[in-house]
Amino acid sequence: MKQQINQFFILFVLLIGLCHAALAQTYPTKPIRFIAPFVPGAGTDITARTIAMKLTDRWGQQVIVDNRPGAAGAIGVELTAQATPDGYTVCLISASHSVNAATNPKLSYDLTKDLQAVSQATSLFYVLYVNPSVPAKSVQELIAYAKANPGKLNYGSSGTGGLQHFAGELLAHLADVKLVHIPYKGGAAAITDALAGNIQVGFSTLLSTRVHMKTGRLRVLAVTTRKRAAAAPELPTVAEAGVPGYEVDQWYGIVTAAKVPRTIVDKLSAAIAEAVNSPEIRQRFTSDGSTPVGSKPDEFSAHIKAEIAKWRKLVKEARLQLH
């Protein structure tokens, strides 16, 4: 009897696998909802629309971007976690979601359990900039100035608990300096105040700072990623310029509900990798300072977990109070 039950169970599992494989072969047969959990025009929105356009062309099915901003991007992710697990609802998350997962115990979802990683779409570096009134032309000079003037350097961010905020906290922690965090409602507002001299330091994308670099209204000292950026090879990394171990990557990636069949997730992942690495999309991303990735599900899952662990460690070691 026990042997018959085991044989039945094995047959049942095989049948489920065959059904999933059949679904993946025909997927997608209807429009896909692509949630962008921030406002139209934000980096997540632009990235989502770029990928959605390419997937629509590839499959002949509409991939419709649905902006669901709110709660630092948590609302859109929650909708994805609760969606029917059939692969027809996906969501573009950013590195800020890993910060949120590491710092906010009140989230209604677990990013590593209630969602399933599909693919990291891009990697995007920040630049570390200063107002020209700061007498520092390198990261080392900035650190020296900060140590000689503790608490007198203000740095702006797009909001408390976001990646720009943590970029500054990581710099302060690793360099052992005191920087005063000034949160804004978006990175553009921080740049405006930096131009006015109301704050002295900030982190932003190359796209947002490039024009001010050229006019000399902002001085860019370094990039935040592990390796130098192809879009600005003349800029050193923060790590090589004096802060070993420093790395901040504003990545974007796609997730879906945890119980979506792996065969469909794999098909989605392969299509996203093909989309972001197509010549026209690659050119569009790299011109903005992004690097196309297109990783596999297991690779992206490991990356999310590593990012959460990294920011959780910073909160503990730097004794940050956020909520």
Side-chain angles (χ1 to χ4, degrees):
M1 182 69 179
K2 185 176 181 180
Q3 185 178 3
Q4 289 179 323
I5 292 173
N6 288 338
Q7 288 175 340
F8 177 78
F9 179 75
I10 291 170
L11 180 61
F12 179 72
V13 170
L14 288 173
L15 286 172
I16 290 178
L18 289 172
C19 288
H20 287 170
L23 285 172
Q25 284 183 346
T26 57
Y27 173 92
T29 58
K30 60 181 182 180
I32 295 171
R33 181 190 189 192
F34 196 168
I35 295 177
F38 292 101
V39 295
T44 43
D45 175 66
I46 294 169
T47 303
R49 291 183 187 280
T50 301
I51 295 171
M53 177 186 66
K54 196 67 177 176
L55 293 180
T56 296
D57 291 343
R58 185 183 194 277
W59 283 328
Q61 287 287 351
Q62 288 291 316
V63 179
I64 303 168
V65 175
D66 182 7
N67 293 96
R68 292 300 180 109
I75 289 176
V77 179
E78 180 182 16
L79 286 171
T80 308
Q82 296 174 348
T84 302
D86 55 7
Y88 287 92
T89 300
V90 298
C91 180
L92 189 81
I93 64 169
S94 71
S96 293
H97 286 90
S98 67
V99 174
N100 210 10
T103 61
N104 188 356
K106 296 180 180 180
L107 286 176
S108 62
Y109 59 84
D110 186 314
L111 190 60
T112 63
K113 295 179 181 179
D114 299 321
L115 284 302
Q116 187 174 181
V118 178
S119 179
Q120 181 181 342
T122 63
S123 171
L124 176 64
F125 65 89
Y126 281 151
V127 295
L128 166 59
Y129 65 83
V130 297
N131 181 281
S133 64
V134 178
K137 295 184 178 180
S138 70
V139 174
Q140 288 184 328
E141 289 180 3
L142 177 65
I143 292 169
Y145 182 81
K147 287 184 175 180
N149 299 272
K152 291 187 178 179
L153 285 179
N154 297 332
Y155 81 93
S157 82
S158 55
T160 300
L163 191 68
Q164 291 180 6
H165 173 200
F166 270 59
E169 295 289 359
L170 184 63
L171 177 64
H173 178 62
L174 293 179
D176 192 24
V177 297
K178 174 65 176 176
L179 300 176
V180 180
H181 175 230
I182 309 295
Y184 292 84
K185 293 182 178 179
I191 290 177
T192 298
D193 253 15
L195 292 169
N198 296 324
I199 59 172
Q200 294 76 46
V201 184
F203 299 85
S204 189
T205 62
L206 181 66
L207 185 64
S208 298
T209 55
R210 183 184 283 141
V211 64
H212 307 304
M213 287 171 57
K214 291 179 178 179
T215 61
R217 297 185 70 194
L218 292 178
R219 182 184 302 131
V220 174
L221 304 182
V223 296
T224 62
T225 42
R226 183 168 52 89
K227 296 180 179 179
R228 290 201 181 203
E234 73 281 4
L235 294 174
T237 67
V238 174
E240 72 175 286
V243 189
Y246 186 93
E247 181 183 0
V248 176
D249 178 7
Q250 172 58 307
W251 49 263
Y252 293 124
I254 292 89
V255 295
T256 190
K259 294 184 179 180
V260 173
R262 180 57 187 259
T263 48
I264 290 178
V265 170
D266 286 340
K267 189 170 185 178
L268 263 170
S269 181
I272 290 164
E274 182 180 300
V276 299
N277 285 294
S278 62
E280 64 271 31
I281 302 303
R282 173 175 284 276
Q283 183 178 6
R284 184 177 302 179
F285 282 151
T286 53
S287 65
D288 292 341
S290 297
T291 301
V293 179
S295 62
K296 294 182 178 180
D298 290 342
E299 294 170 335
F300 187 35
S301 176
H303 182 67
I304 293 172
K305 291 175 182 176
E307 287 278 280
I308 293 172
K310 170 184 175 177
W311 299 125
R312 195 167 282 156
K313 179 182 178 184
L314 175 65
V315 170
K316 182 179 180 180
E317 291 182 350
R319 298 180 181 179
L320 301 180
Q321 300 294 324
L322 301 171
H323 299 283

